[in-house]
Coordinates of all heavy atoms in Angstrom, one line a residue:
M1443 N -32.1 59.6 -30.2 CA -31.3 58.5 -30.2 C -30.8 58.3 -31.7 O -31.5 58.7 -32.6 CB -32.0 57.2 -29.7 CG -32.4 57.3 -28.3 SD -32.9 55.7 -27.7 CE -31.3 55.0 -27.3
H1444 N -29.6 57.7 -31.8 CA -29.1 57.5 -33.1 C -28.3 56.2 -33.2 O -27.7 55.7 -32.2 CB -28.0 58.6 -33.3 CG -27.3 58.5 -34.6 ND1 -26.1 57.8 -34.8 CD2 -27.6 59.0 -35.8 CE1 -25.7 57.9 -36.0 NE2 -26.6 58.6 -36.7
S1445 N -28.5 55.5 -34.3 CA -27.8 54.2 -34.5 C -26.5 54.4 -35.2 O -26.4 55.2 -36.1 CB -28.7 53.2 -35.2 OG -28.9 53.6 -36.5
D1446 N -25.5 53.6 -34.9 CA -24.2 53.7 -35.6 C -23.6 52.4 -36.1 O -22.5 52.3 -36.2 CB -23.2 54.4 -34.6 CG -22.9 53.5 -33.4 OD1 -23.6 52.5 -33.2 OD2 -21.9 53.8 -32.7
H1447 N -24.5 51.5 -36.5 CA -24.0 50.2 -37.0 C -24.0 50.2 -38.5 O -24.8 50.8 -39.1 CB -24.9 49.1 -36.4 CG -24.7 48.9 -35.0 ND1 -23.7 48.1 -34.4 CD2 -25.4 49.4 -33.9 CE1 -23.8 48.1 -33.1 NE2 -24.8 48.9 -32.8
S1448 N -23.0 49.5 -39.1 CA -23.0 49.3 -40.5 C -22.7 47.9 -40.8 O -22.2 47.1 -40.0 CB -22.0 50.3 -41.2 OG -20.7 49.8 -41.0
D1449 N -22.9 47.5 -42.1 CA -22.6 46.2 -42.5 C -21.1 45.8 -42.4 O -20.7 44.7 -42.2 CB -23.1 45.8 -43.9 CG -22.6 46.8 -45.0 OD1 -22.0 47.8 -44.6 OD2 -22.8 46.5 -46.1
V1450 N -20.2 46.8 -42.6 CA -18.8 46.6 -42.5 C -18.4 46.1 -41.1 O -17.6 45.2 -41.0 CB -18.0 47.9 -42.9 CG1 -16.5 47.7 -42.7 CG2 -18.2 48.2 -44.4
R1451 N -18.9 46.8 -40.1 CA -18.6 46.5 -38.7 C -19.3 45.3 -38.2 O -18.7 44.5 -37.5 CB -18.9 47.7 -37.9 CG -18.0 47.8 -36.7 CD -18.3 49.1 -36.0 NE -19.4 49.0 -35.2 CZ -20.0 49.9 -34.5 NH1 -19.5 51.2 -34.6 NH2 -21.0 49.7 -33.7
D1452 N -20.6 45.0 -38.6 CA -21.4 44.1 -37.9 C -21.6 42.8 -38.7 O -22.0 41.8 -38.1 CB -22.8 44.6 -37.6 CG -22.7 45.9 -36.7 OD1 -21.9 45.9 -35.8 OD2 -23.5 46.8 -37.0
A1453 N -21.2 42.7 -39.9 CA -21.4 41.5 -40.7 C -20.4 40.4 -40.2 O -20.7 39.2 -40.5 CB -21.2 41.7 -42.2
A1454 N -19.4 40.7 -39.7 CA -18.4 39.7 -39.2 C -19.0 38.8 -38.2 O -18.6 37.6 -38.1 CB -17.2 40.4 -38.6
A1455 N -20.0 39.2 -37.5 CA -20.7 38.4 -36.5 C -21.6 37.3 -37.2 O -22.0 36.4 -36.5 CB -21.6 39.2 -35.6
G1456 N -21.8 37.4 -38.5 CA -22.6 36.5 -39.2 C -23.9 37.1 -39.6 O -24.4 38.1 -39.1
P1457 N -24.5 36.6 -40.7 CA -25.7 37.3 -41.3 C -26.9 37.3 -40.3 O -27.6 38.3 -40.3 CB -26.0 36.5 -42.5 CG -25.2 35.2 -42.4 CD -24.1 35.5 -41.5
Y1458 N -27.1 36.2 -39.5 CA -28.3 36.2 -38.6 C -28.1 37.1 -37.5 O -29.0 37.8 -37.0 CB -28.6 34.7 -38.2 CG -28.9 33.9 -39.4 CD1 -27.9 33.0 -40.0 CD2 -30.1 34.0 -40.0 CE1 -28.2 32.3 -41.1 CE2 -30.4 33.2 -41.1 CZ -29.5 32.3 -41.6 OH -29.8 31.6 -42.7
A1459 N -26.9 37.2 -37.0 CA -26.5 38.1 -35.9 C -26.7 39.6 -36.3 O -27.2 40.4 -35.6 CB -25.2 37.9 -35.3
Y1460 N -26.3 39.8 -37.6 CA -26.4 41.2 -38.2 C -27.9 41.5 -38.3 O -28.3 42.6 -37.9 CB -25.8 41.1 -39.6 CG -26.0 42.4 -40.4 CD1 -25.3 43.5 -40.2 CD2 -27.0 42.4 -41.4 CE1 -25.5 44.6 -41.0 CE2 -27.2 43.5 -42.2 CZ -26.4 44.6 -41.9 OH -26.6 45.8 -42.7
R1461 N -28.8 40.6 -38.7 CA -30.2 40.9 -38.8 C -30.8 41.1 -37.5 O -31.5 42.1 -37.2 CB -30.9 39.7 -39.5 CG -32.4 39.9 -39.6 CD -33.1 38.6 -39.7 NE -32.8 37.6 -38.6 CZ -32.9 36.3 -38.7 NH1 -33.3 35.7 -39.8 NH2 -32.6 35.6 -37.6
D1462 N -30.5 40.2 -36.5 CA -31.1 40.3 -35.2 C -30.6 41.6 -34.5 O -31.4 42.2 -33.8 CB -30.7 39.1 -34.4 CG -31.3 37.8 -34.9 OD1 -32.2 37.9 -35.8 OD2 -30.9 36.7 -34.5
L1463 N -29.4 42.0 -34.7 CA -28.8 43.2 -34.0 C -29.7 44.4 -34.5 O -30.1 45.3 -33.7 CB -27.4 43.4 -34.4 CG -26.7 44.7 -33.8 CD1 -25.3 44.4 -33.3 CD2 -26.7 45.8 -34.9
H1464 N -29.9 44.5 -35.8 CA -30.6 45.7 -36.3 C -32.1 45.6 -36.0 O -32.7 46.7 -35.7 CB -30.5 45.7 -37.9 CG -29.1 46.3 -38.2 ND1 -28.0 45.6 -38.3 CD2 -28.8 47.6 -38.5 CE1 -27.0 46.4 -38.6 NE2 -27.4 47.6 -38.8
R1465 N -32.7 44.5 -35.9 CA -34.1 44.4 -35.5 C -34.2 44.9 -34.1 O -35.1 45.6 -33.7 CB -34.6 43.0 -35.6 CG -34.9 42.5 -37.0 CD -35.4 41.1 -36.9 NE -35.9 40.6 -38.2 CZ -36.3 39.3 -38.4 NH1 -36.3 38.5 -37.4 NH2 -36.7 39.0 -39.6
E1466 N -33.3 44.4 -33.2 CA -33.4 44.7 -31.8 C -33.1 46.2 -31.6 O -33.7 46.9 -30.8 CB -32.4 43.9 -31.0 CG -32.4 44.1 -29.5 CD -33.8 43.8 -28.8 OE1 -34.5 43.0 -29.3 OE2 -34.1 44.5 -27.8
L1467 N -32.1 46.7 -32.3 CA -31.8 48.1 -32.2 C -33.0 49.0 -32.6 O -33.3 50.0 -32.0 CB -30.6 48.5 -33.2 CG -30.1 49.9 -33.2 CD1 -29.8 50.4 -31.8 CD2 -29.0 50.1 -34.2
L1468 N -33.7 48.6 -33.7 CA -34.9 49.4 -34.1 C -35.9 49.4 -33.0 O -36.5 50.4 -32.7 CB -35.4 48.9 -35.4 CG -36.7 49.6 -35.9 CD1 -36.5 51.0 -36.2 CD2 -37.3 48.8 -37.1
D1469 N -36.2 48.2 -32.5 CA -37.2 48.0 -31.4 C -36.8 48.9 -30.2 O -37.7 49.5 -29.6 CB -37.3 46.6 -31.0 CG -38.0 45.7 -32.1 OD1 -38.5 46.3 -33.1 OD2 -37.8 44.5 -32.1
Q1470 N -35.5 48.9 -29.8 CA -35.1 49.7 -28.7 C -35.3 51.2 -28.9 O -35.8 51.9 -28.1 CB -33.6 49.4 -28.3 CG -33.4 48.1 -27.8 CD -34.0 47.9 -26.4 OE1 -34.0 48.8 -25.6 NE2 -34.6 46.7 -26.1
M1471 N -35.0 51.6 -30.2 CA -35.1 53.0 -30.5 C -36.6 53.4 -30.5 O -36.9 54.5 -30.1 CB -34.4 53.3 -31.8 CG -33.0 53.2 -31.7 SD -32.1 53.6 -33.3 CE -32.3 55.3 -33.3
L1472 N -37.5 52.6 -31.0 CA -38.9 52.9 -31.1 C -39.5 52.9 -29.7 O -40.4 53.7 -29.4 CB -39.7 51.9 -31.9 CG -39.4 52.0 -33.4 CD1 -40.0 50.7 -34.1 CD2 -39.9 53.3 -34.0
A1473 N -38.9 52.1 -28.7 CA -39.4 52.2 -27.3 C -38.9 53.4 -26.5 O -39.5 53.7 -25.5 CB -39.0 50.9 -26.7
A1474 N -37.8 54.0 -27.0 CA -37.2 55.1 -26.3 C -38.1 56.4 -26.5 O -38.7 56.6 -27.5 CB -35.8 55.4 -26.7
P1475 N -38.1 57.3 -25.5 CA -38.8 58.5 -25.7 C -38.2 59.4 -26.7 O -36.9 59.4 -26.9 CB -38.7 59.1 -24.3 CG -37.6 58.5 -23.6 CD -37.4 57.2 -24.2
G1476 N -39.0 60.2 -27.4 CA -38.5 61.2 -28.3 C -38.1 60.6 -29.7 O -38.2 59.4 -29.9
P1477 N -37.7 61.4 -30.6 CA -37.4 61.0 -31.9 C -36.0 60.3 -32.0 O -35.2 60.4 -31.1 CB -37.3 62.3 -32.7 CG -36.9 63.3 -31.8 CD -37.6 62.9 -30.5
G1478 N -35.8 59.5 -33.0 CA -34.5 58.8 -33.2 C -34.2 58.7 -34.6 O -35.0 58.9 -35.5
V1479 N -32.9 58.4 -34.9 CA -32.4 58.1 -36.3 C -31.9 56.7 -36.3 O -30.9 56.4 -35.7 CB -31.4 59.2 -36.7 CG1 -30.8 58.9 -38.1 CG2 -32.0 60.6 -36.7
F1480 N -32.5 55.9 -37.2 CA -32.0 54.6 -37.4 C -31.4 54.6 -38.8 O -32.1 54.7 -39.8 CB -33.2 53.5 -37.3 CG -32.8 52.2 -37.6 CD1 -32.3 51.4 -36.5 CD2 -32.9 51.6 -38.9 CE1 -32.0 50.0 -36.8 CE2 -32.6 50.3 -39.1 CZ -32.1 49.5 -38.1
R1481 N -30.1 54.5 -38.8 CA -29.4 54.6 -40.1 C -28.9 53.2 -40.5 O -28.1 52.6 -39.8 CB -28.2 55.6 -40.0 CG -27.5 55.9 -41.2 CD -26.4 56.8 -41.1 NE -25.4 56.2 -40.3 CZ -24.5 56.8 -39.6 NH1 -24.5 58.1 -39.5 NH2 -23.6 56.2 -38.9
L1482 N -29.4 52.7 -41.6 CA -29.1 51.4 -42.1 C -28.1 51.7 -43.3 O -28.5 52.1 -44.3 CB -30.3 50.7 -42.6 CG -30.1 49.2 -43.1 CD1 -29.4 48.3 -42.1 CD2 -31.4 48.7 -43.6
T1483 N -26.8 51.3 -43.0 CA -25.8 51.6 -44.0 C -25.4 50.2 -44.6 O -25.1 49.2 -43.9 CB -24.5 52.2 -43.4 OG1 -24.9 53.4 -42.7 CG2 -23.5 52.4 -44.4
I1484 N -25.4 50.2 -46.0 CA -25.1 48.9 -46.7 C -24.1 49.2 -47.8 O -24.4 50.1 -48.6 CB -26.4 48.3 -47.3 CG1 -27.5 48.1 -46.2 CG2 -26.1 47.0 -48.0 CD1 -28.9 48.0 -46.7
H1485 N -23.1 48.5 -47.8 CA -22.1 48.7 -48.8 C -22.1 47.5 -49.8 O -22.3 46.3 -49.4 CB -20.6 48.7 -48.2 CG -20.5 49.9 -47.3 ND1 -20.8 49.8 -45.9 CD2 -20.0 51.1 -47.5 CE1 -20.5 50.9 -45.4 NE2 -20.0 51.7 -46.2
A1486 N -22.0 47.8 -51.1 CA -22.2 46.7 -52.1 C -21.3 45.5 -51.9 O -21.7 44.4 -52.1 CB -22.1 47.3 -53.5
H1487 N -20.0 45.8 -51.5 CA -19.1 44.7 -51.4 C -19.3 43.9 -50.1 O -18.7 42.8 -50.0 CB -17.7 45.3 -51.4 CG -17.3 46.2 -50.2 ND1 -17.7 47.5 -50.1 CD2 -16.6 45.9 -49.1 CE1 -17.3 48.0 -49.0 NE2 -16.6 47.1 -48.4
V1488 N -20.2 44.3 -49.2 CA -20.5 43.5 -48.0 C -22.0 43.1 -48.1 O -22.3 41.9 -48.2 CB -20.2 44.3 -46.8 CG1 -20.5 43.5 -45.5 CG2 -18.8 44.8 -46.7
G1489 N -22.8 44.0 -48.0 CA -24.3 43.8 -48.0 C -24.9 43.2 -49.3 O -26.0 42.8 -49.3
G1490 N -24.1 43.3 -50.4 CA -24.6 42.9 -51.7 C -24.4 41.4 -51.9 O -24.9 40.9 -52.9
R1491 N -23.8 40.7 -51.0 CA -23.7 39.2 -51.1 C -25.0 38.6 -50.8 O -25.7 39.0 -49.9 CB -22.6 38.8 -50.2 CG -21.2 39.4 -50.6 CD -20.1 38.9 -49.7 NE -18.9 39.5 -50.2 CZ -17.8 39.8 -49.5 NH1 -17.8 39.5 -48.2 NH2 -16.7 40.3 -50.0
P1492 N -25.3 37.4 -51.4 CA -26.6 36.9 -51.3 C -27.2 36.6 -49.9 O -28.3 37.1 -49.7 CB -26.5 35.5 -52.1 CG -25.4 35.8 -53.0 CD -24.4 36.7 -52.3
L1493 N -26.4 36.0 -49.0 CA -27.1 35.7 -47.7 C -27.3 37.0 -46.9 O -28.3 37.2 -46.3 CB -26.2 34.8 -46.9 CG -26.7 34.2 -45.6 CD1 -28.1 33.6 -45.9 CD2 -25.8 33.2 -45.0
L1494 N -26.3 37.9 -46.9 CA -26.5 39.2 -46.2 C -27.5 40.0 -46.8 O -28.3 40.7 -46.1 CB -25.1 39.9 -46.0 CG -25.1 41.0 -44.9 CD1 -25.4 40.4 -43.6 CD2 -23.8 41.7 -44.9
A1495 N -27.6 40.0 -48.2 CA -28.7 40.8 -48.9 C -30.1 40.3 -48.4 O -31.0 41.1 -48.2 CB -28.5 40.7 -50.4
G1496 N -30.2 39.0 -48.2 CA -31.5 38.5 -47.7 C -31.8 39.0 -46.3 O -32.9 39.3 -46.0
M1497 N -30.8 39.1 -45.5 CA -30.9 39.6 -44.1 C -31.3 41.1 -44.2 O -32.2 41.6 -43.4 CB -29.7 39.5 -43.2 CG -29.2 38.0 -43.0 SD -30.5 37.0 -42.2 CE -31.0 35.9 -43.6
V1498 N -30.7 41.9 -45.1 CA -31.1 43.3 -45.3 C -32.6 43.4 -45.6 O -33.3 44.2 -45.1 CB -30.2 44.0 -46.3 CG1 -30.7 45.4 -46.7 CG2 -28.8 44.1 -45.8
G1499 N -33.0 42.5 -46.5 CA -34.4 42.4 -46.9 C -35.3 42.2 -45.7 O -36.4 42.8 -45.5
Q1500 N -34.9 41.3 -44.8 CA -35.7 41.0 -43.6 C -35.7 42.2 -42.6 O -36.7 42.5 -41.9 CB -35.2 39.8 -42.9 CG -35.5 38.5 -43.7 CD -34.9 37.3 -43.0 OE1 -34.8 37.2 -41.8 NE2 -34.7 36.2 -43.8
I1501 N -34.6 42.9 -42.6 CA -34.5 44.2 -41.7 C -35.5 45.2 -42.3 O -36.2 45.8 -41.5 CB -33.1 44.7 -41.7 CG1 -32.1 43.7 -40.9 CG2 -33.0 46.1 -41.0 CD1 -30.6 44.0 -41.1
L1502 N -35.5 45.4 -43.6 CA -36.4 46.3 -44.2 C -37.8 45.9 -44.0 O -38.7 46.8 -43.7 CB -36.1 46.5 -45.7 CG -34.7 47.1 -46.0 CD1 -34.4 47.0 -47.5 CD2 -34.7 48.6 -45.6
D1503 N -38.1 44.7 -44.1 CA -39.5 44.2 -43.8 C -39.9 44.6 -42.3 O -41.0 45.0 -42.1 CB -39.6 42.7 -43.9 CG -39.6 42.3 -45.4 OD1 -39.7 43.1 -46.3 OD2 -39.3 41.0 -45.6
H1504 N -38.9 44.4 -41.4 CA -39.2 44.7 -40.0 C -39.5 46.2 -39.8 O -40.3 46.6 -39.1 CB -38.0 44.2 -39.2 CG -38.3 44.4 -37.7 ND1 -39.2 43.6 -37.0 CD2 -37.7 45.2 -36.7 CE1 -39.2 43.9 -35.7 NE2 -38.3 44.9 -35.5
I1505 N -38.7 47.0 -40.5 CA -38.9 48.5 -40.5 C -40.3 48.8 -41.0 O -41.0 49.6 -40.3 CB -37.8 49.2 -41.3 CG1 -36.4 49.1 -40.6 CG2 -38.1 50.7 -41.5 CD1 -35.2 49.5 -41.5
R1506 N -40.6 48.2 -42.1 CA -42.0 48.6 -42.7 C -43.1 48.1 -41.8 O -44.1 48.8 -41.7 CB -42.1 47.9 -44.1 CG -41.3 48.5 -45.2 CD -41.7 47.9 -46.5 NE -40.5 48.0 -47.4 CZ -39.6 47.1 -47.7 NH1 -39.7 45.9 -47.1 NH2 -38.6 47.3 -48.5
E1507 N -42.9 47.0 -41.1 CA -43.9 46.5 -40.2 C -44.0 47.3 -38.9 O -45.0 47.1 -38.1 CB -43.7 45.0 -39.9 CG -43.9 44.1 -41.1 CD -43.2 42.8 -41.0 OE1 -42.7 42.5 -39.9 OE2 -43.3 42.0 -41.9
S1508 N -43.0 48.1 -38.6 CA -42.9 48.8 -37.3 C -43.9 50.0 -37.1 O -44.0 50.5 -36.0 CB -41.5 49.2 -37.0 OG -40.6 48.1 -36.9
G1509 N -44.5 50.4 -38.2 CA -45.5 51.5 -38.0 C -44.9 52.8 -38.2 O -44.6 53.3 -39.3
D1510 N -44.7 53.5 -37.1 CA -44.4 54.9 -37.1 C -42.9 55.2 -37.4 O -42.2 55.7 -36.6 CB -44.8 55.5 -35.7 CG -44.7 57.0 -35.7 OD1 -44.7 57.7 -36.8 OD2 -44.6 57.6 -34.6
V1511 N -42.5 54.9 -38.6 CA -41.1 55.0 -39.1 C -41.2 55.7 -40.4 O -41.9 55.3 -41.3 CB -40.4 53.7 -39.2 CG1 -39.0 53.8 -39.8 CG2 -40.3 53.0 -37.8
W1512 N -40.4 56.7 -40.6 CA -40.3 57.4 -41.9 C -39.0 56.9 -42.5 O -37.9 57.1 -42.0 CB -40.2 58.9 -41.7 CG -39.9 59.7 -42.9 CD1 -40.4 59.5 -44.2 CD2 -39.1 60.9 -43.0 NE1 -39.9 60.5 -45.0 CE2 -39.1 61.3 -44.4 CE3 -38.3 61.6 -42.1 CZ2 -38.5 62.4 -44.8 CZ3 -37.6 62.7 -42.6 CH2 -37.7 63.1 -43.9
V1513 N -39.1 56.3 -43.7 CA -37.9 55.8 -44.4 C -37.6 56.9 -45.4 O -38.4 57.2 -46.3 CB -38.2 54.5 -45.1 CG1 -37.0 54.0 -46.0 CG2 -38.7 53.4 -44.1
A1514 N -36.3 57.4 -45.3 CA -35.9 58.5 -46.2 C -34.4 58.4 -46.5 O -33.7 57.8 -45.8 CB -36.1 59.8 -45.4
T1515 N -34.1 59.1 -47.6 CA -32.7 59.2 -47.9 C -32.1 60.4 -47.1 O -32.8 61.1 -46.5 CB -32.5 59.5 -49.4 OG1 -33.1 60.8 -49.6 CG2 -33.2 58.5 -50.3
H1516 N -30.7 60.4 -47.1 CA -30.1 61.6 -46.4 C -30.5 62.9 -47.0 O -30.7 63.8 -46.3 CB -28.5 61.4 -46.5 CG -28.0 60.4 -45.7 ND1 -26.7 59.9 -45.8 CD2 -28.5 59.6 -44.6 CE1 -26.5 58.9 -44.9 NE2 -27.5 58.8 -44.2
A1517 N -30.7 62.9 -48.3 CA -31.1 64.2 -49.0 C -32.5 64.6 -48.5 O -32.8 65.8 -48.3 CB -31.1 64.0 -50.5
Q1518 N -33.5 63.6 -48.4 CA -34.8 63.9 -47.9 C -34.8 64.4 -46.4 O -35.5 65.3 -46.1 CB -35.7 62.6 -48.0 CG -36.0 62.3 -49.4 CD -36.7 60.9 -49.5 OE1 -36.2 59.9 -48.9 NE2 -37.7 60.8 -50.4
V1519 N -33.9 63.8 -45.6 CA -33.8 64.3 -44.2 C -33.3 65.7 -44.2 O -33.8 66.6 -43.5 CB -32.9 63.4 -43.4 CG1 -32.6 63.9 -42.0 CG2 -33.6 62.0 -43.3
A1520 N -32.2 66.0 -45.0 CA -31.7 67.4 -45.0 C -32.8 68.4 -45.5 O -32.9 69.5 -44.9 CB -30.5 67.4 -46.0
E1521 N -33.5 68.0 -46.5 CA -34.6 68.9 -47.0 C -35.6 69.2 -46.0 O -36.1 70.3 -45.8 CB -35.2 68.3 -48.2 CG -36.3 69.2 -48.9 CD -36.9 68.5 -50.1 OE1 -36.2 67.7 -50.8 OE2 -38.1 68.8 -50.4
H1522 N -36.0 68.1 -45.2 CA -37.0 68.2 -44.2 C -36.5 69.2 -43.0 O -37.2 70.1 -42.6 CB -37.3 66.9 -43.5 CG -38.2 66.9 -42.4 ND1 -39.5 67.0 -42.5 CD2 -37.9 66.8 -41.1 CE1 -40.1 67.0 -41.3 NE2 -39.1 66.9 -40.4
V1523 N -35.2 69.0 -42.7 CA -34.7 69.9 -41.6 C -34.6 71.3 -42.1 O -35.0 72.2 -41.3 CB -33.2 69.4 -41.2 CG1 -32.5 70.4 -40.3 CG2 -33.3 68.0 -40.5
L1524 N -34.1 71.6 -43.3 CA -34.0 72.9 -43.8 C -35.4 73.6 -43.9 O -35.6 74.7 -43.6 CB -33.3 72.9 -45.2 CG -31.8 72.6 -45.1 CD1 -31.3 72.5 -46.5 CD2 -31.0 73.7 -44.3
T1525 N -36.4 72.8 -44.4 CA -37.7 73.3 -44.5 C -38.3 73.7 -43.2 O -38.9 74.8 -43.1 CB -38.6 72.3 -45.2 OG1 -38.1 72.0 -46.5 CG2 -40.1 72.7 -45.3
H1526 N -38.1 72.9 -42.2 CA -38.7 73.2 -40.9 C -37.8 74.2 -40.1 O -38.3 74.7 -39.0 CB -38.8 71.9 -40.1 CG -40.0 71.1 -40.6 ND1 -39.9 70.3 -41.7 CD2 -41.3 71.1 -40.2 CE1 -41.1 69.7 -41.9 NE2 -41.9 70.2 -41.0
Q1527 N -36.7 74.6 -40.6 CA -35.9 75.7 -40.0 C -36.2 77.0 -40.7 O -35.5 78.0 -40.5 CB -34.4 75.4 -40.0 CG -34.0 74.4 -39.1 CD -32.5 74.1 -39.1 OE1 -31.8 74.6 -39.9 NE2 -32.0 73.4 -38.1
G1528 N -37.1 77.0 -41.7 CA -37.5 78.2 -42.4 C -36.5 78.5 -43.5 O -36.5 79.6 -44.1
R1529 N -35.7 77.6 -44.0 CA -34.8 77.8 -45.1 C -35.3 77.1 -46.3 O -36.0 76.1 -46.2 CB -33.4 77.3 -44.8 CG -32.8 78.0 -43.6 CD -31.5 77.4 -43.3 NE -30.9 77.9 -42.1 CZ -29.8 77.4 -41.5 NH1 -29.1 76.5 -42.0 NH2 -29.5 77.9 -40.3
T1530 N -34.9 77.5 -47.5 CA -35.3 76.9 -48.7 C -34.2 75.9 -49.1 O -33.0 76.3 -49.2 CB -35.5 77.9 -49.8 OG1 -36.4 78.8 -49.4 CG2 -35.9 77.2 -51.1
P1531 N -34.6 74.6 -49.3 CA -33.6 73.6 -49.7 C -33.0 73.9 -51.1 O -33.6 74.5 -51.9 CB -34.3 72.3 -49.6 CG -35.7 72.6 -49.3 CD -35.9 74.0 -49.1

């Protein structure tokens, strides 16, 4: 499974809806069978505003509390994939 939401698209619903959408999305992905990718995209001109930045903080707290989640950058994910395919990153 893969998430495709970003702050540009979802912030228009309001900061609390943005937070709740991402929390629910993570919970759904964790409940689904198999691995998933939860991509949290934040742009400075949207997510960097005080109220939405606070919601991002709450989303990150929820991710940390969820247990079996690896928080990684795109570069770390690419390195992991290349390593497990027998290639040198």
